[in-house]
């Protein structure tokens, strides 16, 4: 097995480079949307009745076993939950509910509630006119390089196989994630065995490499992949993306497990979030 896919001819390279350019442009558009990564300004655990920075009302947990939180406010606060103006109390259902609630604070500020891994719920607040969106200059990235399209091998794991992933703000605690299969790939004569967990219809590979803290974001990057029907899996590192926590400190991202920390430099994919003046964002 070779390290990378065969070198494409000029026409194939041009088409793939153009496809990557379109993909990159869409990424830059996505992060500045009203619920995009740069719009997130607050994530606050609601473990007792409290106020939340930047938004009106008081917020409180619901009895154990119920999805979501409770908001207390007056009509003057202008809080709408599922389209209804809050004047008194209302239940805000979490994202784990089949019908999660949407909160609207103003024309530009919205929110929703997420379940926490260790129990309880947190309120997330998004501002379509956040300081980060106003300062955003772009996502720095390496040029497309077909050498970083690597063909690996895929084999299913026994049902129920899991691996513990640390998260940036979890103080060393791990969260067990289901690992559907084994991914191996060669690089510089070494066979790497990496772990990716299920994320929607794809698999999410959280990895670190020798560029982190040098030319790329220090925490690591994500790559979304899917097995091929023939038992292979394509790892196109040109589509490696920055994790949400590179855009907002209010995110809590998974960290690369030991086997996903590569000693080599992956000079492909996204590097850093940049402000309009070329400095790193958030600064």
């Amino acid at each position: 097995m070779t390290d990378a896919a065969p070198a494409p001819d000029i026409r194939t390279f041009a088409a793939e480079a153009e496809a990557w350019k379109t993909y990159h442009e869409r990424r830059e558009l996505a992060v500045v949307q009203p619920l995009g990564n740069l719009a997130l300004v607050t994530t606050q655990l609601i473990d007792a009745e409290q106020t939340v920075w930047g938004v009106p009302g008081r917020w409180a947990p619901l009895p154990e076993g119920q999805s979501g939180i409770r908001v207390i406010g007056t009509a003057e606060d202008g809080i709408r939950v599922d389209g209804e103006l809050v004047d008194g109390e209302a239940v805000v259902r979490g994202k784990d509910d089949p019908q999660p609630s949407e909160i609207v604070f103003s024309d530009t500020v919205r929110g929703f509630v997420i379940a926490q891994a260790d129990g309880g719920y947190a309120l997330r607040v998004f501002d379509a006119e956040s300081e980060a969106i106003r300062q955003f200059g772009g996502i720095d990235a390496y040029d497309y390089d077909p050498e970083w399209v690597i063909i690996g091998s895929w084999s299913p794991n026994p049902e129920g196989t899991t691996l513990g992933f640390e998260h940036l703000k979890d103080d060393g605690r791990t969260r067990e994630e289901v690992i559907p299969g084994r991914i191996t790939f060669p690089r510089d004569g070494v066979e790497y065995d990496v772990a990716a967990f299920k994320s929607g219809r794809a698999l999410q590979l959280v990895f670190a490499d020798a560029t982190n803290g040098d030319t790329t974001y220090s925490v690591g990057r994500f790559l979304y992949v899917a097995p091929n029907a023939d038992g292979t899996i394509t790892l196109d590192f040109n589509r490696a993306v920055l994790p949400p926590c590179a855009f907002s400190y209010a995110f809590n991202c998974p960290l690369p497990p030991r086997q996903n920390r590569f000693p080599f430099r992956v000079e492909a994919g996204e590097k850093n979030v940049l402000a309009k003046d070329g400095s790193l964002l958030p600064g």
Side-chain angles (χ1 to χ4, degrees), residues 239-278:
R239 301 205 175 200
V241 298
L242 295 169
C245 52
F247 298 86
S248 170
Y249 295 129
F251 284 107
N252 185 16
C253 292
L255 301 176
R258 185 178 302 276
Q259 64 265 51
N260 292 5
R261 300 174 186 175
F262 307 139
F264 52 85
R265 294 176 65 86
V266 178
E267 295 184 324
E270 297 179 353
K271 297 179 182 180
N272 287 293
V273 187
L274 300 182
K276 291 176 181 177
D277 63 3

Side-chain angles (χ1 to χ4, degrees), residues 76-148:
E76 288 74 21
D77 290 327
I79 305 168
R80 292 186 178 272
V81 176
D82 299 324
E84 296 294 326
L85 184 65
V86 175
D87 191 9
E89 296 186 5
V91 171
V92 186
R93 297 181 301 276
K95 281 285 190 177
D96 58 336
D97 189 276
Q99 295 182 310
S101 293
E102 181 183 49
I103 312 161
V104 175
F105 297 102
S106 70
D107 290 342
T108 62
V109 181
R110 298 162 64 185
F112 56 76
V113 172
I114 58 169
Q116 300 294 91
D118 54 356
Y121 290 85
L123 175 64
R124 276 191 165 166
V125 179
F126 291 80
D127 184 354
E129 295 181 352
S130 70
E131 182 67 18
I133 288 176
R134 291 197 296 269
Q135 292 184 6
F136 180 61
I139 302 174
D140 191 21
Y142 291 100
D143 292 335
Y144 178 80
D145 185 351
E147 291 297 317
W148 283 105

Side-chain angles (χ1 to χ4, degrees), residues 159-267:
E159 187 173 351
T161 299
T162 64
L163 179 68
F165 282 76
E166 292 185 35
H167 281 62
L168 194 60
K169 299 180 180 180
D170 286 2
D171 298 323
R173 300 188 306 274
T174 60
R175 306 183 192 183
E176 291 297 314
E177 299 283 357
V178 174
I179 309 298
R182 181 185 180 195
I183 300 172
T184 60
F185 70 91
R187 187 71 187 174
D188 301 327
V190 177
E191 190 84 358
Y192 292 90
D193 191 333
V194 297
F197 57 83
K198 191 166 180 58
S199 177
R201 296 182 179 180
L203 299 174
Q204 182 175 338
L205 176 66
V206 182
F207 74 93
D209 68 275
T211 68
N212 297 155
D214 177 17
T215 56
T216 65
Y217 179 58
S218 60
V219 174
R221 293 180 286 172
F222 294 171
L223 181 64
Y224 295 92
V225 297
N228 302 317
D230 62 358
T232 64
I233 190 164
T234 303
L235 307 172
D236 184 355
F237 285 99
N238 293 286
R239 301 205 175 200
V241 298
L242 295 169
C245 52
F247 298 86
S248 170
Y249 295 129
F251 284 107
N252 185 16
C253 292
L255 301 176
R258 185 178 302 276
Q259 64 265 51
N260 292 5
R261 300 174 186 175
F262 307 139
F264 52 85
R265 294 176 65 86
V266 178
E267 295 184 324

